[in-house]
Amino acid sequence: MAANSSMAVDDSNPVQWRRDAATSRTVRILWSLGAGTFFAAALIIVFWRLYDLARQLGGESIIIAAFGALIVAILVFAFGSNTERRLERVTERLPISAPSGTSLDRALDAALGMLVMAGAIVVLMAIGRYVSTNELLALGAGPFTLLAALTIPLALVALALSSFLRSVGSLDYEERTIYLHDPDQAIDLSVIEDVSIYRVGNAAILSLEYAQPDGRYVKGPRTIAVPPEIATEVQELVAREN
């Protein structure tokens, strides 16, 4: 039975769940903005180098038009219909295979994240330049340049969070066990003394407090991310055990 099912809980059947970029908006946004930031930084560097070179040759408009066309193409592929078919037609004469399915979805998410973060970085840099040119702040463009630079470490945090919030597993009521996959782990609820739940977007973070029988340390994850309904079920099962 799926975790988001509205049916009554059947203790004889494990409840399965999957939280990834395809099923969780929080994971998807974090992945999109995290990966997109690095692509955005690369895009800005490439654009500026090519623009600077083209300006010396009087061809700035060509570079602007090319990057404008790239942005339009990304938006068309991301929001248009029959995306896979469109991409196949574009790449059929190229020595590469077009991504499809989940790979295509993640690529489009990263591309959209790239556009969003490129826009944010450019706006920050433009504001900094305007402030510096007009001497509106004593610090000049420093604060805005710092904010633009901070997008890189923040992107790493976003990617780490998307990885942490991603989870696949099942809750077995009969065995009183949580089975996690990728990597495979089993959490015996009989050795859990207390459970705390913290909500993060559409996810629930379970903080598990393990018993220490005879003073022995019990191996196992102390914090896991699961759907809210699974978190509630786990908390109730632990309460019954104790």
Side-chain angles (χ1 to χ4, degrees), residues 111-124:
L112 288 175
M114 176 186 70
L115 295 184
V116 171
M117 294 310 300
I121 293 171
V122 168
V123 167
L124 287 171

Side-chain angles (χ1 to χ4, degrees), residues 80-221:
S81 58
N82 299 321
T83 300
E84 288 192 24
R85 182 56 187 156
R86 289 174 183 267
L87 196 57
E88 286 175 0
R89 286 201 296 265
V90 171
T91 59
E92 61 185 3
R93 295 185 179 181
L94 300 175
I96 58 174
S97 58
S100 60
T102 302
S103 297
L104 177 59
D105 291 338
R106 298 294 75 76
L108 290 176
D109 288 343
L112 288 175
M114 176 186 70
L115 295 184
V116 171
M117 294 310 300
I121 293 171
V122 168
V123 167
L124 287 171
M125 294 173 65
I127 293 175
R129 184 178 181 84
Y130 177 81
V131 169
S132 177
T133 301
N134 293 276
E135 299 181 350
L136 299 179
L137 288 177
L139 296 176
F144 301 97
T145 303
L146 177 62
L147 287 175
L150 283 176
T151 58
I152 298 299
L154 288 176
L156 290 173
V157 173
L159 289 174
L161 281 175
S162 71
S163 178
F164 172 72
L165 293 175
R166 176 183 175 276
S167 69
V168 181
S170 60
L171 172 60
D172 192 309
Y173 290 91
E174 288 189 342
E175 298 182 7
R176 298 295 191 267
T177 302
I178 298 174
Y179 293 100
L180 300 177
H181 309 294
D182 193 23
D184 291 335
Q185 290 179 305
I187 304 174
D188 185 355
L189 296 182
S190 65
V191 298
I192 304 298
E193 288 188 336
D194 191 26
V195 174
S196 300
I197 301 176
Y198 306 94
R199 290 295 299 269
V200 178
N202 60 352
I205 308 301
L206 278 182
S207 178
L208 306 176
E209 182 179 335
Y210 286 72
Q212 293 184 338
D214 300 324
R216 291 184 293 105
Y217 176 81
V218 178
K219 293 183 179 180

Side-chain angles (χ1 to χ4, degrees), residues 51-67:
Y51 180 82
D52 189 47
L53 178 62
R55 185 172 55 182
Q56 299 175 23
L57 303 174
E60 306 99 311
S61 58
I62 297 176
I63 299 301
I64 293 175
F67 276 81

